[in-house]
Amino acid sequence: MSDFDYDLFVIGGGSGGVRAARVAAGEYGAKVGLAEEDRYGGTCVIRGCVPKKLMVFASGYNDMFQDARDYGWDVKDGTFDWHNFGGKMRAELDRLEGVYRNLLDNSGVEKFDARATLKDAHTVTLSTGEEKTAKHILIATGGRPVRLDIPNAELGIVSDDIFHLDKLPRSMLIIGGGYIACEFACILHGLGVEVTLYYRGAQILNGFDDEARGLVADQMQARGIQMHSGASVLEMEEREGGTFVKSSTGQEKIFDKVFWGTGRKPNSDNMGLEALGIAMGRNGAIEVNEYSQTGVPSVYAIGDVTDRVNLTPVAIREGMAFVKTVFGGEPTPVDHELIASAVFTQPEMGTVGLSEEDAAAQEQIEVYSTSFKPMQTSFAGRDDRVMMKLVVSKANRTVLGCHIVAPQAGEMIQLAGIAIKMGATKEQFDQTCAVHPTMSEELVTMRNPVRTS
């Protein structure tokens, strides 16, 4: 008979925590408990990837009306009904939350709709007043959006709020230049909102390939998004007609809504971690080793709360590696190398591997890149451009990075990521016959480097 109530207690009902819990219980026979203080599914399902992608789909129809006419269809522009769309979106999120709950139930995981904190290395305290003990504790509490520390910052909404607006604003200021800010700038513009973007840097999407993010910025501006680099918010106050904002670049304007897209912070506050001696970074990220284990051997952490690679599929893989390590007897370090990802701007950006800048800093490279007007939108008379880019090692010809800016770039980069994860060389790309006519055929037809460094 075990000395503990559970073999595993998971704190957090998002994608990573739910996967770890149900696999440990369903496949390894562990007795598992899980506590979630909000909604099951976590950021991705409830207030992130899924509703955001539904909004991406909705915002794309604005261009489609004009494209349809250019292709000979007799169609009229429609009007977007936020109330109708929002209701269907929230119903879909409710359905998905039910799926997550059922997955746990069917695996035999005991659920607690409560906040959990750590009392000691093997005990969690629930907000219901109960205490539960476990041989292993897994923290999977994710992260949350943050506002900058300025007076009246609370006047601006964050990404969690965008899905619950009663109506769409006529104008919105989005503060930030990261992927969340840029994605919602494109989404809201596509839904008919007048969008202004303030970001402190010289360019948006810091950390991504310079050429790729430059094209995304150009296309966003060409679509009519007002973009202001080097802009910080100095003042914010409520006034008649909306929220008044004064920027460091001299702009003063009243917006219907202000949206903080200024990053996220791990959900590790007030959990009792410091008292146990669990180390955390400056932003509250729980520090773990390659097996997701904290400095307290019985306590592990996965997902955004560790601030390693903050992507849902990564959290799921971390959860699986944890289960194999702890319950499967297979020590499995987490593989964070060559993770493909997408930024759902319009156009999308897909990326895997090193940017040109990072690759050049570590070795000599060749760059193969092309930018062109794709057939579909060119025929419709639009000036949209796309880009395909490969960064190649001069020493061994391995493709170090692939960057795509194009409609459906996320779909393309998933497949390119397989080849690059396998260590494909430029010559192996060249030996692959093109699928014509497609945008992606350019990935296997670029013969001459545009530059070396």
Side-chain angles (χ1 to χ4, degrees):
M1 189 74 176
S2 173
D3 294 331
F4 302 103
D5 297 326
Y6 300 96
D7 300 308
L8 170 65
F9 198 95
V10 179
I11 305 176
S15 296
V18 167
R19 176 65 65 89
R22 69 184 185 87
V23 173
E27 295 186 19
Y28 292 95
K31 186 177 182 182
V32 181
L34 183 147
E36 169 56 52
E37 65 175 312
D38 193 358
R39 298 187 63 182
Y40 289 76
T43 293
C44 181
V45 172
I46 302 301
R47 61 192 75 88
C49 321
V50 172
K52 175 191 71 181
K53 193 64 182 289
L54 293 174
M55 289 182 71
V56 169
F57 291 145
S59 66
Y61 285 98
N62 203 10
D63 287 337
M64 291 182 190
F65 291 123
Q66 182 59 50
D67 285 352
R69 287 193 290 273
D70 290 328
Y71 273 87
W73 288 89
D74 182 15
V75 296
K76 302 290 190 295
D77 283 351
T79 56
F80 178 67
D81 186 336
W82 170 255
H83 180 74
N84 179 45
F85 169 78
K88 291 187 68 175
M89 176 178 64
R90 288 185 285 275
E92 175 64 4
L93 303 185
D94 291 343
R95 184 189 72 82
L96 291 173
E97 183 180 12
V99 169
Y100 270 68
R101 285 180 173 271
N102 288 336
L103 286 171
L104 292 170
D105 291 339
N106 293 339
S107 300
V109 176
E110 187 174 3
K111 305 190 308 295
F112 299 89
D113 294 343
R115 174 174 170 77
T117 57
L118 276 70
K119 179 179 180 180
D120 59 42
H122 294 283
T123 307
V124 297
T125 301
L126 303 178
S127 54
T128 57
E130 301 172 88
E131 288 187 354
K132 300 294 180 181
T133 61
K135 185 176 182 181
H136 305 284
I137 297 172
L138 178 65
I139 302 171
T141 48
R144 65 183 185 275
V146 296
R147 297 170 172 86
L148 296 186
D149 185 16
I150 68 167
N152 298 319
E154 72 282 355
L155 294 176
I157 64 172
V158 294
S159 57
D160 287 1
D161 306 317
I162 197 75
F163 311 111
H164 303 285
L165 293 174
D166 293 333
K167 62 180 181 179
L168 285 180
R170 290 168 299 174
S171 65
M172 179 175 283
L173 169 65
I174 297 180
I175 305 167
Y179 74 92
I180 293 174
C182 292
E183 287 176 337
F184 278 107
C186 293
I187 289 168
L188 292 163
H189 177 264
L191 296 178
V193 178
E194 179 187 304
V195 175
T196 302
L197 190 69
Y198 285 178
Y199 49 100
R200 291 184 294 183
Q203 185 55 285
I204 59 171
L205 298 172
N206 186 42
F208 290 89
D209 183 86
D210 280 355
E211 187 176 10
R213 64 191 183 125
L215 180 56
V216 172
D218 290 344
Q219 295 292 284
M220 288 173 64
Q221 287 182 301
R223 286 172 172 266
I225 296 172
Q226 302 298 310
M227 300 174 66
H228 299 273
S229 62
S232 299
V233 175
L234 299 180
E235 297 178 22
M236 182 182 294
E237 62 181 54
E238 190 171 5
R239 290 190 182 178
E240 184 178 353
T243 303
F244 168 81
V245 178
K246 180 179 180 180
S247 80
S248 58
T249 51
Q251 289 96 354
E252 297 184 10
K253 189 173 179 179
I254 295 176
F255 298 91
D256 282 356
K257 288 285 184 181
V258 174
F259 178 112
W260 289 105
T262 45
R264 298 177 63 81
K265 184 181 188 298
N267 280 326
S268 60
D269 299 345
N270 304 314
M271 291 188 66
L273 305 181
E274 298 92 340
L276 293 183
I278 294 175
M280 291 188 290
R282 285 189 303 171
N283 66 342
I286 298 176
E287 295 184 2
V288 294
N289 64 15
E290 60 182 336
Y291 299 101
S292 297
Q293 187 178 40
T294 71
V296 176
S298 60
V299 180
Y300 293 73
I302 61 170
D304 290 9
V305 75
T306 67
D307 200 23
R308 289 177 286 182
V309 179
N310 296 337
L311 296 169
T312 299
V314 175
I316 291 171
R317 291 178 73 88
E318 290 171 355
M320 290 296 294
F322 158 78
V323 172
K324 285 184 179 181
T325 298
V326 174
F327 295 100
E330 304 174 54
T332 305
V334 179
D335 181 4
H336 289 128
E337 295 298 317
L338 296 173
I339 296 170
S341 64
V343 180
F344 294 104
T345 45
Q346 295 171 4
E348 291 179 15
M349 178 166 67
T351 181
V352 61
L354 297 176
S355 67
E356 177 181 346
E357 295 71 38
D358 288 343
Q362 74 176 31
E363 63 178 286
Q364 288 190 313
I365 60 169
E366 291 182 346
V367 177
Y368 298 79
S369 181
T370 181
S371 180
F372 54 94
K373 292 183 179 181
M375 178 189 296
Q376 182 177 8
T377 52
S378 179
F379 181 85
R382 286 204 267 147
D383 291 327
D384 295 9
R385 298 192 69 83
V386 301
M387 187 197 81
M388 306 285 159
K389 180 174 184 177
L390 297 175
V391 180
V392 178
S393 167
K394 285 191 74 173
N396 60 24
R397 308 298 296 156
T398 300
V399 178
L400 302 173
C402 177
H403 311 282
I404 301 172
V405 177
Q408 301 298 313
E411 304 291 344
M412 288 186 255
I413 205 66
Q414 177 70 84
L415 300 179
I418 298 171
I420 293 171
K421 185 71 172 177
M422 293 175 68
T425 64
K426 177 62 170 65
E427 283 65 36
Q428 288 172 321
F429 269 71
D430 295 343
Q431 290 161 10
T432 303
C433 190
V435 179
H436 182 75
T438 65
M439 290 180 289
S440 58
E441 68 181 291
E442 297 290 335
L443 291 174
V444 299
T445 58
M446 294 184 287
R447 291 294 181 262
N448 300 312
V450 295
R451 55 188 169 274
T452 61
S453 60

